[in-house]
Amino acid sequence: MLHSMSTTVESSSERSADEVNEEIRALWRRSGGTLSVEQREVYQRLVLEWASAAPQSAPAA
């Protein structure tokens, strides 16, 4: 189920990487593949939130 996109980014402790990824995908679907300036700003914030929420893997030995 997709929720409406918020204009503020919640901290990574509040949302999982999967939840943020769902919002990123919804943004692209709604935009039709071309982001406006405002949508790009939202996208950039979401990507940063996703990166901080995504599990970090240990480097291979």
Side-chain angles (χ1 to χ4, degrees), residues 9-58:
V9 176
E10 299 174 30
S11 73
S12 61
S13 63
E14 295 179 27
R15 297 198 304 176
S16 71
D18 287 340
E19 291 172 312
V20 179
N21 188 43
E22 181 179 328
E23 189 167 335
I24 291 169
R25 289 175 183 267
L27 173 65
W28 279 106
R29 279 192 298 273
R30 282 191 308 276
S31 74
T34 303
L35 298 176
S36 69
V37 171
E38 181 180 301
Q39 288 170 319
R40 272 182 283 190
E41 291 170 359
V42 171
Y43 173 76
Q44 289 172 348
R45 288 192 306 265
L46 286 169
V47 168
L48 291 174
E49 182 184 354
W50 175 85
S52 67
Q56 303 297 314
S57 60

